[in-house]
Amino acid sequence: GSCFDGSRESFQEQVDRLLEQLQKNNAHLAVGAVWSEEGSTRIKELARQAENEMYHNKQQYYLSRQQPQNAPCPGPGCARTKQPDRDPETPFQAFIHNNYYDAEAFFQSVAIPEAPYYLYFGDLQNNLYYISDNMRDDFGFPSNVVYDLIEKWGAMIGDPQDRILYQQDLRQMLEHKKDIHSLRYRVTDRRGYSVWVHCRGIIRWSEDRTTPLFFSGCVSRLESNFAMDATTGFLRERAALNELVTLSARNSPALVISFGLNHFTYINESKGRTEGDRILRDIANTLEEELGTMFTFYRLDGIRFMAISRRTNGWDPGEAVAGIRRIINLVYSRERITAKRTASFGVQSFPQGGRLPQEILENAITLINVAKLNLDLEYSEFSSDLIARQRERSNMALVLSESVEKGCEGFRVVVQPIVSRDSGEIIGGETLLRWRYMDQDVSPAVFIPLLEETQMIKVVGKWGFEQAVRICSRVIPCQPDFLLSFNVSYLQVLDDTFLPFMQQTLKESGLPGRHLMLELTETHFDEMPKRLHEFVNQCHEMGIKFALDDFGNGFSSLQMLFKYPVNVIKLDRTLMNQITHSPENLDFIMSIVYACHRSGKRVCVEGVETEDELAAVRQTDCDMIQGFYFYRPIEAGEFYRCIGADRPV
């Protein structure tokens, strides 16, 4: 750009001369010129006006090149106007060819100003687009004809993550010759407001699919009808209900997949909510990018989601679940988050899962909860009996909450003795939590996950520690070397109040910490290494030992034996089946025991139930044995009698 020192007439004469010279030389150069005699006019404002004039000039140039379909081909650039051959002719094409059709009137009729969407279409070879009036007005475009719309629109995407996703999607469309564009992101309108939109578009390619020719689509303002989740960009529960209402009204079949991310409470507490939101956004973006054309994703509540697909014929639910799970696994792995199951899935087919939208939604959440309790299932599938059983579990959760609120009423602690490998005499024990519901003991595999899901494990865990201290204090006078272990949830490790509580409890009881040992499975070790080290070290300062529980259950690796300050390794029962049927497996277990001993760690073998298993275990040179062959978990009173501590306290 430059300024001219002279009269308006001479200025215009020079501009005209420049345009004439460009035309003679067939040069494709756009020119924008503006004149002002007001000395107060700022140079930036003049530059803006000149730029608008330049774009107008460029638009006129491209519009002048537009030719009727029956006009001779203008030359090598003819590919831009050539339409892909379509045989047979579509009904739409047949109607246009055989009837009067006014394209502008049609476009204006669907692009009404008050519509919560905007329309666009454009020539990709000329990079020239036409947009609807409301898009022009709401986003401050100077004209309906916009040069380089994709770049200008991208500049209006304020969030860096959204902009990267936008650029990646467009790049992949061109690289992979895709026909469909579908993406949700935030864009800033002319008033400076950031709004969620869903941009959909279709690309037409040349006959040999080497050249993109035409791009058209619609940009929907999502907040007009639905709440949008700010973290994931997914539609919220309200939109899911609306979609289910539509399906119900049309009696349209649909596949409904619900899923919940596992261990996300831990992720938020250990990594922080900012990192947790980033991981959620990464999962959501990847799901939308890879599966957005097949599913509409919704965020329900917390870390539970729903995916609805209308492709039901030939759609394998297992295949659909596997596709979503693969993406979640990929993100968890990239973030070094270890989990046996990264997500729990439920599947129901509409309308078999119920005709009322709220019923479908409630069943979706129920199916997730069922899957969380059965980690070996790929997904839980809708059935009336399953829903009824899960509702009973929900009732159980309410009673469980009442029990905790009443000072852990209904809970008790039992002890499973641990014996010496050589003598079979009791040298220690493990405290195990029990809870009664409707006059029956509930399996810990049922109520412990409920306690963890609701965070009540923090309260019950403290109560359980108090019981362990009380039991151990009663046994020590009879057996001074006795060692009692207690289980700790990873949520307790993350609880800032748990360590001070342990210290105060030991101080009040007078029990030396060396008689206690905490047990923790290694499922979450690599996700919280620093926190775990700090927790174990502070336990060691109190004299409390640390046992790695369930070693060999599928999560284990030998590096865990040396990576953390472990005192005792507890080999899981799953190893029993291996060492009793194969000499090679027995040799392998013996090598693990040897490695533990070399590093100063003691070994306890769990799950010994038969004479053959006992004989095999004794060959491993382990230190301790725990299993039904010797003792089942027994009530505290019976345990006292076993070791002669049944005197009055």
Side-chain angles (χ1 to χ4, degrees):
S2 62
C3 297
F4 179 80
D5 187 13
S7 65
R8 179 192 293 269
E9 291 75 14
S10 58
F11 171 75
Q12 189 60 50
E13 182 181 339
Q14 296 236 20
V15 172
D16 293 342
R17 190 179 304 156
L18 173 62
L19 293 173
E20 182 181 351
Q21 191 65 34
L22 291 172
Q23 187 174 4
K24 285 182 179 179
N25 295 332
N26 198 28
H28 301 164
L29 181 66
V31 175
V34 64
W35 175 269
S36 175
E37 295 182 351
E38 299 179 11
S40 61
T41 303
R42 291 185 297 179
I43 188 66
K44 287 186 179 180
E45 176 61 22
L46 289 175
R48 187 190 67 78
Q49 294 177 19
E51 183 179 19
N52 289 341
E53 179 66 22
M54 178 189 70
Y55 281 121
H56 179 73
N57 180 282
K58 184 178 292 188
Q59 293 162 10
Q60 295 304 313
Y61 164 75
Y62 282 121
L63 290 172
S64 68
R65 297 182 63 199
Q66 302 280 334
Q67 303 239 358
Q69 277 197 323
N70 59 357
C73 182
C78 189
R80 68 179 176 81
T81 57
K82 183 179 179 180
Q83 299 298 316
D85 291 336
R86 295 183 180 87
D87 189 25
E89 191 175 50
T90 66
F92 181 79
Q93 290 173 323
F95 182 87
I96 298 302
H97 290 165
N98 297 316
N99 298 276
Y100 177 78
Y101 172 69
D102 189 319
E104 184 174 2
F106 173 74
F107 188 81
Q108 290 178 346
S109 69
V110 295
I112 54 178
E114 61 271 18
Y117 55 81
Y118 311 100
L119 303 179
Y120 64 90
F121 62 87
D123 185 329
L124 287 172
Q125 291 302 294
N126 285 335
N127 202 11
L128 195 65
Y129 297 80
Y130 190 90
I131 62 175
S132 58
D133 291 351
N134 59 348
M135 188 173 185
R136 176 200 64 201
D137 296 338
D138 288 358
F139 293 94
F141 289 103
S143 169
N144 293 83
V145 180
V146 181
Y147 178 75
D148 202 12
L149 175 65
I150 291 177
E151 184 68 25
K152 287 183 170 62
W153 186 252
M156 296 180 183
I157 302 175
D159 183 81
Q161 292 290 337
D162 288 351
R163 192 181 306 118
I164 290 172
L165 189 63
Y166 171 80
Q167 293 167 346
Q168 287 177 344
D169 186 76
L170 293 173
R171 183 168 59 252
Q172 289 178 0
M173 285 181 65
L174 297 177
E175 290 176 355
H176 301 295
K177 313 293 184 184
K178 293 183 177 180
D179 296 317
I180 304 296
H181 167 67
S182 178
L183 197 64
R184 294 182 180 90
Y185 47 81
R186 285 157 290 188
V187 65
T188 304
D189 64 18
R190 65 178 178 81
R191 299 170 298 172
Y193 295 156
S194 180
V195 294
W196 278 100
V197 296
H198 186 182
C199 185
R200 305 175 182 87
I202 296 175
I203 287 186
R204 292 298 187 205
W205 294 80
S206 59
E207 192 172 354
D208 58 4
R209 296 192 69 82
T210 60
T211 307
L213 303 176
F214 182 75
F215 187 29
S216 66
C218 169
V219 179
S220 304
R221 293 182 68 115
L222 293 173
E223 89 281 8
S224 299
N225 295 313
F226 310 119
M228 171 68 65
D229 178 53
T231 301
T232 62
F234 288 165
L235 298 169
R236 292 306 302 260
E237 181 177 315
R238 178 183 167 194
L241 284 171
N242 185 282
E243 176 66 9
L244 292 171
V245 168
T246 301
L247 292 172
S248 179
R250 296 175 179 174
N251 199 27
S252 300
L255 179 66
V256 180
I257 297 176
S258 52
F259 58 98
L261 302 181
N262 294 334
H263 309 303
F264 223 83
T265 298
Y266 153 74
I267 292 172
N268 278 332
E269 292 192 0
S270 63
K271 296 179 179 291
R273 291 200 171 271
T274 300
E275 275 298 290
D277 286 349
R278 182 187 61 78
I279 293 170
L280 270 183
R281 190 178 299 112
D282 192 8
I283 292 172
N285 289 345
T286 310
L287 286 172
E288 189 68 42
E289 179 181 334
E290 296 194 20
L291 302 176
T293 58
M294 294 177 282
F295 295 97
T296 301
F297 290 96
Y298 305 87
R299 186 173 185 181
L300 302 181
D301 61 350
I303 38 77
R304 291 185 286 205
F305 303 86
M306 178 186 285
I308 299 178
S309 172
R310 297 188 185 184
R311 175 187 163 190
T312 53
N313 295 331
W315 184 264
D316 178 13
E319 178 186 345
V321 168
I324 298 174
R325 188 190 300 280
R326 176 184 59 79
I327 290 171
I328 298 171
N329 287 347
L330 176 66
V331 176
Y332 269 55
S333 176
R334 195 159 56 220
E335 299 293 334
R336 303 180 68 83
I337 301 168
T338 305
K340 183 176 181 180
R341 287 289 191 193
T342 58
S344 300
F345 288 82
V347 171
Q348 53 185 323
S349 297
F350 183 83
Q352 287 85 352
R355 289 197 171 272
L356 296 177
Q358 190 63 43
E359 185 181 2
I360 291 286
L361 199 60
E362 291 174 0
N363 289 346
I365 294 173
T366 298
L367 292 172
I368 293 173
N369 293 334
V370 170
K372 280 182 178 289
L373 294 175
N374 300 274
L375 293 180
D376 292 334
L377 287 178
E378 289 296 322
Y379 58 88
S380 61
E381 195 163 10
F382 172 82
S383 73
S384 299
D385 290 342
L386 184 148
I387 296 299
R389 289 196 302 270
Q390 185 57 25
R391 284 176 180 161
E392 174 61 25
R393 180 176 179 268
S394 298
N395 293 333
M396 182 190 299
L398 291 175
V399 177
L400 185 66
S401 176
E402 292 176 3
S403 296
V404 174
E405 291 176 359
K406 294 178 179 179
C408 294
E409 182 181 281
F411 287 92
R412 71 185 193 283
V413 166
V414 297
V415 181
Q416 184 172 24
I418 297 174
V419 304
S420 166
R421 180 203 63 185
D422 297 323
S423 66
E425 294 181 354
I426 296 175
I427 59 175
E430 177 184 357
T431 57
L432 301 166
L433 198 61
R434 294 292 184 264
W435 179 65
R436 290 185 72 78
Y437 171 68
M438 297 182 68
D439 296 325
Q440 290 185 336
D441 278 347
V442 178
S443 168
V446 173
F447 74 81
I448 294 294
L450 279 174
L451 291 173
E452 290 186 329
E453 288 173 20
T454 57
Q455 302 280 314
M456 291 188 292
I457 191 65
K458 296 178 181 179
V459 177
V460 177
K462 290 177 180 177
W463 180 87
F465 179 74
E466 287 180 319
Q467 306 312 305
V469 170
R470 183 174 292 115
I471 292 171
C472 197
S473 297
R474 183 162 178 172
V475 172
I476 292 304
C478 300
Q479 194 166 330
D481 295 329
F482 185 79
L483 181 64
L484 185 63
S485 66
F486 60 97
N487 290 279
V488 173
S489 165
Y490 72 97
L491 289 174
Q492 292 173 269
V493 176
L494 297 171
D495 181 8
D496 292 333
T497 68
F498 188 46
L499 278 170
F501 176 84
M502 293 168 64
Q503 293 169 337
Q504 184 64 27
T505 303
L506 288 178
K507 181 179 178 180
E508 292 175 355
S509 69
L511 176 70
R514 67 177 182 274
H515 294 292
L516 295 174
M517 179 168 66
L518 71 92
E519 293 191 19
L520 184 68
T521 58
E522 62 173 287
T523 309
H524 303 277
F525 276 21
D526 270 355
E527 302 164 29
M528 53 178 181
K530 183 178 178 181
R531 186 63 178 259
L532 182 60
H533 269 290
E534 293 173 352
F535 182 85
V536 173
N537 287 337
Q538 291 187 58
C539 285
H540 281 167
E541 290 176 4
M542 290 185 276
I544 298 175
K545 297 176 177 61
F546 175 37
L548 172 59
D549 196 14
D550 295 341
F551 186 87
N553 69 353
F555 293 102
S556 307
S557 60
L558 289 175
Q559 67 170 342
M560 293 295 176
L561 303 182
F562 312 105
K563 188 173 181 180
Y564 294 94
V566 178
N567 301 106
V568 175
I569 304 298
K570 301 190 74 173
L571 301 184
D572 189 71
R573 162 152 182 83
T574 55
L575 297 175
M576 288 298 96
N577 296 328
Q578 301 178 32
I579 65 176
T580 55
H581 293 89
S582 168
E584 292 79 8
N585 288 338
L586 177 59
D587 290 341
F588 177 68
I589 302 302
M590 291 175 66
S591 68
I592 293 177
V593 175
Y594 176 77
C596 291
H597 286 166
R598 289 280 292 178
S599 61
K601 297 168 174 50
R602 302 174 71 196
V603 179
C604 176
V605 178
E606 297 180 297
V608 177
E609 297 183 359
T610 67
E611 190 77 42
D612 289 342
E613 290 176 349
L614 176 62
V617 164
R618 281 180 166 158
Q619 295 182 58
T620 65
D621 199 30
C622 68
D623 303 285
M624 299 166 279
I625 300 175
Q626 181 178 353
F628 289 178
Y629 180 82
F630 290 99
Y631 296 97
R632 291 177 177 271
I634 55 180
E635 300 295 332
E638 185 179 351
F639 177 70
Y640 295 147
R641 287 190 290 274
C642 286
I643 59 175
D646 53 342
R647 58 177 174 77
V649 179

